[in-house]
Amino acid sequence: GDAITVADLAQKLAMKGGDVVKALFKMGVMATITQSIDHDTAVLITEELGHKAVAAGANDAESELLAHAEEVQGEKQQRPPVVTIMGHVDHGKTSLLDYIRRTKVATGEAGGITQHIGAYHVETPKGVISFLDTPGHAAFTQMRQRGAKLTDIVVLVVAADDGVMPQTAEAIQHAKAAKVPLIVAINKIDKSDADPSRVKSDLLTYEVVAEEFGGDIQMVELSAKTGQGVDDLLDAILLQSEVLDLQAVFEGRATGVVIESALDKGRGPVATVLVQQGQLSKGDYLVCGIQYGRVRALFDENGTQVQVAGPSIPVQILGLSGVPEAGDDFVVVADERLAKDVAQQRDTKRRELRLVASAGNRMEDILAQM
Ligand code: GDP
Ligand code: MG
């Protein structure tokens, strides 16, 4: 294997060079900081130190962060629901999202650039609803695997002319596993061969039981093409939301989750985040996964600059040190120092865990050869 200098190894382990030299000495290896050690020795010392490095000391900034988070507890108020649309391919997910966006999203300033930011919110006379504009089961599953619980309600789109199909069943499983309530949107009722009652009876097989059959699942017949029934769907979502009694703290430092992110040539790292608690404002310092930064600008779904965003509202932000990952959480902190410390410690920790994991694998190889 390749040799590595003690200094480089120390850096990888986020340790002082002298401490690595000492640890090597205890193992019977004499090396100065500028000297190289062979790969196997590096693996052994990493294994020896890695766990300790991960376990000790690395959590100081995190605990300061937690202390901050506890400070922000305030009075909870009702918050808007966050909705994900799922369903079989071609059943009309994109059409429905587009229809709602086109007809219900408050239009921005003249000249504002409408852009895809992965989520949008609508203001209906009865309340606000946020939609995650990322149909696709993969995105939903990925978010869940990363521990992000973003969605309050799943709208399951089933085309009335096609009925329950494999991805319909899959979406039901996903929603059930995530314990997220379903509303069924029976779409394409404008078509002559639409058969909504067949959809309802098919769904019985999956224990998705309509209210008219004695169950508790709201089913709305609609057309994403003509718009018929779409308002009923929005009403159904708000009704479900009331039942769920969704709440959040509206004041104080914001926390939330990254929905999507990218590196923009001109603007640098951009992230669409969903605020979950508190209020995110321009100028806030935040930690976002292993990135940190100061919010330079916030944009809504119309590409219009906004000053603040509260719970359940998606916004695109600029000002991060790097591109975070979808599903990463973000936390607003008091100052840049803490933001940077937490981000760096997380980064170090992630690397160490990776090193320890690979050292572990190497150890198994070595043992296997003995
Ligand atoms: P997705 O794969 O679930 O995102 O489905 P799309 O939104 O791309 O729709 C698939 C096809 O069905 C497109 O050709 C749409 O124009 C059509 N479609 C969607 N909704 C309706 C509807 O309510 N009525 C009719 N007639 N066609 C629809
Ligand atoms: Mg689509």
Side-chain angles (χ1 to χ4, degrees), residues 88-95 97 135:
H88 196 73
V89 64
D90 285 344
H91 279 199
K93 300 177 292 294
T94 303
S95 302
L97 276 163

Side-chain angles (χ1 to χ4, degrees), residues 14 26 30 53 65 80 110 149-150 158 175 182 186 201 216 228 239 251 260 275 301 332 345 347:
K26 278 185 202 154
M30 310 291 267
L65 190 69
K149 190 175 184 301
L150 281 177
V158 188
L182 277 179
I186 302 178
S201 54
D216 60 356
Q228 185 192 343
L239 188 65
E251 326 93 75
E260 61 176 26
V275 178
E301 53 277 273
V332 170
Q345 285 188 5
D347 191 24

Side-chain angles (χ1 to χ4, degrees), residues 177-237:
K179 298 191 167 62
V180 177
L182 277 179
I183 293 174
V184 179
I186 302 178
N187 190 32
K188 306 198 188 186
I189 52 157
D190 59 287
K191 294 185 88 167
S192 56
D193 53 348
D195 188 354
S197 46
R198 198 192 79 197
V199 172
K200 288 177 197 170
S201 54
D202 280 359
L203 285 169
L204 288 171
T205 318
Y206 300 90
E207 286 160 39
V208 176
V209 186
E211 285 168 334
E212 64 200 77
F213 292 158
D216 60 356
I217 305 289
Q218 298 189 81
M219 301 204 185
V220 180
E221 297 176 20
L222 55 83
S223 166
K225 189 179 174 187
T226 68
Q228 185 192 343
V230 171
D231 284 337
D232 298 334
L233 176 66
L234 302 182
D235 286 350
I237 291 168

Side-chain angles (χ1 to χ4, degrees), residues 108-109 112-115 117 298-305 316:
E109 299 163 356
I113 327 139
T114 301
Q115 49 186 9
I117 71 162
L298 297 89
F299 299 94
D300 69 9
E301 53 277 273
N302 292 311
T304 306
Q305 273 218 43
Q316 195 178 55

Side-chain angles (χ1 to χ4, degrees), residues 38-321:
D38 65 35
H39 182 78
D40 288 350
T41 307
V43 168
L44 286 171
I45 193 81
T46 301
E47 172 74 356
E48 182 71 23
L49 292 171
H51 290 297
K52 287 177 203 154
V54 171
N59 289 320
D60 303 347
E62 291 280 358
S63 31
E64 201 175 332
L65 190 69
L66 278 176
H68 271 290
E70 275 156 22
E71 262 172 42
V72 235
Q73 282 175 3
E75 200 187 318
K76 290 193 168 182
Q77 293 171 46
Q78 202 182 324
R79 66 166 176 85
V82 179
V83 177
T84 297
I85 296 190
M86 297 174 91
H88 196 73
V89 64
D90 285 344
H91 279 199
K93 300 177 292 294
T94 303
S95 302
L96 181 58
L97 276 163
D98 286 351
Y99 183 88
I100 296 170
R101 185 185 189 117
R102 212 171 55 240
T103 56
K104 308 289 175 188
V105 171
T107 47
E109 299 163 356
I113 327 139
T114 301
Q115 49 186 9
H116 179 89
I117 71 162
Y120 62 74
H121 77 286
V122 298
E123 285 167 25
T124 80
K126 292 175 190 166
V128 176
I129 305 171
S130 284
F131 288 92
L132 297 183
D133 194 355
T134 47
H137 305 183
F140 188 82
T141 319
Q142 191 204 349
M143 288 279 192
R144 276 195 62 224
Q145 277 166 353
R146 306 221 50 230
K149 190 175 184 301
L150 281 177
T151 305
D152 301 308
I153 297 166
V154 165
V155 168
L156 178 66
V157 174
V158 188
D161 62 339
D162 202 25
V164 173
M165 297 301 276
Q167 285 168 280
T168 315
E170 204 183 293
I172 294 168
Q173 304 310 333
H174 282 312
K176 281 191 173 166
K179 298 191 167 62
V180 177
L182 277 179
I183 293 174
V184 179
I186 302 178
N187 190 32
K188 306 198 188 186
I189 52 157
D190 59 287
K191 294 185 88 167
S192 56
D193 53 348
D195 188 354
S197 46
R198 198 192 79 197
V199 172
K200 288 177 197 170
S201 54
D202 280 359
L203 285 169
L204 288 171
T205 318
Y206 300 90
E207 286 160 39
V208 176
V209 186
E211 285 168 334
E212 64 200 77
F213 292 158
D216 60 356
I217 305 289
Q218 298 189 81
M219 301 204 185
V220 180
E221 297 176 20
L222 55 83
S223 166
K225 189 179 174 187
T226 68
Q228 185 192 343
V230 171
D231 284 337
D232 298 334
L233 176 66
L234 302 182
D235 286 350
I237 291 168
L238 288 167
L239 188 65
Q240 180 72 62
S241 171
E242 256 175 53
V243 171
L244 293 171
D245 191 24
L246 305 168
Q247 300 204 329
V249 178
F250 279 64
E251 326 93 75
R253 294 191 196 115
T255 59
V257 181
V258 177
I259 297 166
E260 61 176 26
S261 58
L263 186 61
D264 186 281
K265 261 189 204 157
R267 303 186 298 167
V270 292
T272 300
V273 301
L274 183 79
V275 178
Q276 293 183 306
Q277 303 281 343
Q279 203 165 63
L280 183 63
S281 309
K282 194 171 164 175
D284 281 347
Y285 291 103
L286 79 173
V287 186
C288 188
I290 57 167
Q291 311 300 339
Y292 69 98
R294 184 175 199 188
V295 180
R296 208 166 71 224
L298 297 89
F299 299 94
D300 69 9
E301 53 277 273
N302 292 311
T304 306
Q305 273 218 43
V306 292
Q307 296 300 311
V308 293
S312 300
I313 303 299
V315 274
Q316 195 178 55
I317 59 168
L318 304 183
L320 290 171
S321 56

